[in-house]
Amino acid sequence: MFADLWIDEFRVPPGKKFKLKNYDPGWTGGKEFADLGKHAAKERAEAILAERVKELTDAQELLYADNRYAVLVVLQAMDAAGKDGTIKHVMSGLNPAGCQVFSFKQPSAEELDHTFLWRLARCLPERGRIGIFNRSQYEDVLVVKVHPEYLPTGRLPTGKVNDKFWAARYEDINAFERHLVRNGTVVLKFFLNVSKKEQKKRLLARLDDPAKHWKFEAGDLAERARWGEYMKAYEDAISATSTEWAPWYVIPADAKWITHAVVAAILAKTINELDLRFPVLSSQDEAALVAARKNLEGKSDSPQFGEPGT
């Protein structure tokens, strides 16, 4: 299916300078959808989403049974880009027992007394599970880079906060992710690429709808005013940390229906390409199952609970 091609279209090649201008936040399907019209294209994307959600449901069961791999999904974006909605729609068919979501906001005093990766390490998914980070370790090279005053400088042994400082943080993140991958955690990183124009539209929608007032924060406008600084921080971080073992995908986010379909397609294909398999039982275990069936069907000579002799 052509949706599988999206993996290559949106993956950021490692070792190359990443430029946001090369990724259109308003992309709505390219040539595959060009002749459909907006309504039909939206329906097609929603059909792809439904197909991939079904695939993810089946893949999650196999991932859990196989119990050798974990999957870590990292979502980064500007405010109102659709992280929560992506989690809601893409993960809608997953068994909650095998999926966990963590949101990382302002670090606590305890977290600041540890390395910047410590709070992430505590929340990593177990083998057989899918973990989702709504914001992540990248906050410490994005928000903190735009706001260096957030750095607990009095507690860091390093000197100046300069290019070498940030390069060291990128190196730490790459090493952290490589360690995860080497030990069976698949790392998929998605930047939901929303345009400044679309963000404005969504923030205004929150103000227009009383039911969405709780989503609006005055700080959103202050961060929006530093849009250019954030885009530069994203370019630097993605350039330095899109690797063969933990790639970044830049997902068009102006049309939510495209965002959901693309993320679902990439996630489903990645999991399905793992060498997952249901456990093979030993002959002894198989014999125990046969005995269990006889017991349940009343064919066993062994006394049952509540019967004479028990």
Side-chain angles (χ1 to χ4, degrees):
M1 181 180 289
F2 64 79
D4 294 340
L5 300 176
W6 291 345
I7 290 186
D8 294 326
E9 184 153 358
F10 300 111
R11 182 194 282 126
V12 177
K16 293 185 178 180
K17 186 67 176 177
F18 164 69
K19 289 293 183 182
L20 270 170
K21 66 180 181 180
N22 297 327
Y23 294 80
D24 179 12
W27 186 89
T28 52
K31 61 182 181 180
E32 295 89 354
F33 286 2
D35 298 329
L36 297 179
K38 182 176 179 180
H39 180 71
K42 183 177 180 180
E43 288 185 339
R44 184 70 190 101
E46 289 174 345
I48 291 171
L49 173 63
E51 293 167 6
R52 292 306 189 249
V53 167
K54 176 60 170 64
E55 285 184 27
L56 283 173
T57 301
D58 296 337
Q60 182 194 25
E61 181 180 5
L62 186 53
L63 180 76
Y64 188 85
D66 183 89
N67 201 38
R68 289 180 299 138
Y69 293 95
V71 177
L72 175 62
V73 176
V74 172
L75 295 175
Q76 287 289 155
M78 297 293 286
D79 295 317
K83 296 186 300 301
D84 290 340
T86 298
I87 294 171
K88 176 181 178 181
H89 287 86
V90 175
M91 310 301 172
S92 60
L94 299 186
N95 183 340
C99 183
Q100 51 199 133
V101 181
F102 292 95
S103 296
F104 296 96
K105 298 183 179 180
Q106 183 176 345
S108 67
E110 180 187 20
E111 289 168 343
L112 289 173
D113 272 337
H114 292 81
T115 70
F116 76 96
L117 293 171
W118 179 78
R119 65 175 181 160
L120 288 305
R122 295 191 302 164
C123 301
L124 291 169
E126 303 170 25
R127 298 186 194 280
R129 289 174 168 79
I130 297 174
I132 303 157
F133 283 0
N134 185 342
R135 303 190 188 276
S136 66
Q137 61 269 29
Y138 287 92
E139 291 295 279
D140 286 275
V141 291
L142 294 168
V143 175
V144 177
K145 192 172 185 181
V146 174
H147 294 278
E149 66 273 17
Y150 292 170
L151 278 168
T153 50
R155 308 178 202 180
L156 293 176
T158 54
K160 295 180 180 179
V161 178
N162 51 24
D163 289 345
K164 288 184 178 180
F165 175 88
W166 298 114
R169 287 215 158 180
Y170 301 143
E171 182 181 340
D172 289 342
I173 289 173
N174 285 338
F176 174 68
E177 292 173 353
R178 187 155 202 167
H179 167 74
L180 295 180
V181 172
R182 283 173 169 168
N183 286 274
T185 297
V186 177
V187 181
L188 293 172
K189 302 176 295 193
F190 298 100
F191 170 54
L192 306 189
N193 183 24
V194 71
S195 67
K196 192 174 184 181
K197 179 180 178 181
E198 178 63 20
Q199 189 203 48
K200 177 181 178 180
K201 177 181 175 182
R202 294 181 188 179
L203 292 176
L204 286 172
R206 292 179 180 180
L207 294 175
D208 291 340
D209 185 353
K212 294 182 178 180
H213 284 178
W214 65 274
K215 289 186 175 184
F216 188 87
E217 297 182 13
D220 293 346
L221 297 182
E223 298 307 282
R224 176 177 165 80
R226 306 184 76 159
W227 186 275
E229 294 174 70
Y230 272 105
M231 295 303 102
K232 178 64 166 60
Y234 270 108
E235 287 185 339
D236 291 345
I238 292 174
S239 292
T241 61
S242 192
T243 59
E244 291 288 352
W245 57 89
W248 272 103
Y249 295 90
V250 178
I251 310 300
D254 280 5
K256 295 179 181 180
W257 44 277
I258 278 290
T259 306
H260 304 158
V262 173
V263 171
I266 294 172
L267 182 56
K269 184 171 175 60
T270 301
I271 296 177
N272 284 331
E273 288 179 345
L274 298 174
D275 59 329
L276 300 175
R277 52 187 178 270
F278 287 108
V280 177
L281 299 182
S282 67
S283 57
Q284 183 178 1
D285 290 335
E286 291 284 2
L289 293 181
V290 172
R293 173 175 289 280
K294 289 182 178 179
N295 188 307
L296 290 170
E297 293 177 345
K299 298 177 181 178
S300 173
D301 293 332
S302 300
Q304 304 299 304
F305 181 80
E307 294 180 349
T310 63

